[in-house]
Amino acid sequence: MLEQPAFGQRLRALRRERGLSQAALAAGGLSTGYLSRLESGTRPPTRRVVEHLTRRLGLPASAFARGSSQSLSQALAVAMSSARIGPVADELAVLLHAGEDRLDPALRWQSLWLLASVRAEEARYEDEHELLVELGELSEAIGIPELTVRARIRLSRCCLLLGNTSRAHTEAREAHRLAAGLSVDDRSAALHALIRAEAEAGRSDEARSHARELYELHLWSPRGR
């Protein structure tokens, strides 16, 4: 079994991946205070506690075994090279949120981007939304405009799927603003997202104006000549 603090880090990541509060995970066998101390690494787990946790999480006891965890870089490599990413996505998600403050920002960005794509394919749009919000915040911290624009475009599209047209419009408008001076592809993608968000929000005049901007962008770009 993993020793502390590795056990607590893995437990916290598994709980967060499944969208459980500490109270929900502890229910029926543990106090929330005890669970909190487990996650912080200040209390060692017992066999009975592990049995309770794995039962509530729907996992085998091997989930907490020594050597069961890969590094995030290894999990990302496995996921990207897999014919079907879905089956290995959970391990990637767990590692992504275990000790996240110590992870390389670029590696975290790639993992969040890939995992958000998996959740979109699974039609788990609430989960995708949560990942994309985190991706946007990380993009801002990294400070590369292209990453921020692409994250906001995806978040805008996800918000539309969730019926949040106001947030979708806000994200697309900001992506469009930030895309000025970037590649034609990034500016075009931002405009597409903005036009769709404006159309969904009933902003017909704005959508037509940006559609003309999109036409002119391609008309005067090297590829459009």
Side-chain angles (χ1 to χ4, degrees), residues 23 27 41-42 54 67 82 99 104 108 116-117 125 127 138 152 174 201-202 219:
T42 59
T54 53
S82 298
D104 176 71
R108 277 187 62 208
S117 298
Y125 300 123
D127 292 337
L138 180 58
R152 286 183 177 273
E174 184 64 7
L219 178 66

Side-chain angles (χ1 to χ4, degrees), residues 101-177:
D101 292 341
R102 298 188 299 275
L103 297 175
D104 176 71
L107 187 60
R108 277 187 62 208
W109 197 96
Q110 294 175 64
S111 300
L112 284 166
W113 181 273
L114 181 62
L115 191 56
S117 298
V118 173
R119 298 306 180 229
E121 290 176 1
E122 296 170 340
R124 293 170 56 179
Y125 300 123
E126 292 284 357
D127 292 337
E128 181 196 8
H129 180 272
E130 183 177 344
L131 290 163
L132 291 174
V133 169
E134 187 176 351
L135 186 69
E137 293 170 353
L138 180 58
S139 300
E140 294 280 357
I142 292 174
I144 298 176
E146 287 87 350
L147 300 186
T148 302
V149 167
R150 293 165 194 175
R152 286 183 177 273
I153 289 170
R154 287 190 61 178
L155 181 55
S156 176
R157 292 169 179 165
C158 183
C159 286
L160 284 180
L161 290 171
L162 292 171
N164 190 344
T165 55
S166 177
R167 178 68 183 273
H169 180 254
T170 297
E171 295 296 334
R173 185 176 56 198
E174 184 64 7
H176 174 246
R177 183 184 72 81

Side-chain angles (χ1 to χ4, degrees), residues 33-55:
Y34 182 80
L35 180 59
S36 179
R37 290 191 290 275
L38 278 175
E39 290 192 356
S40 67
T42 59
R43 289 294 298 270
T46 65
R47 184 179 298 277
R48 183 188 68 81
V49 166
V50 172
E51 289 175 353
H52 171 83
L53 294 172
T54 53
R55 183 170 60 253

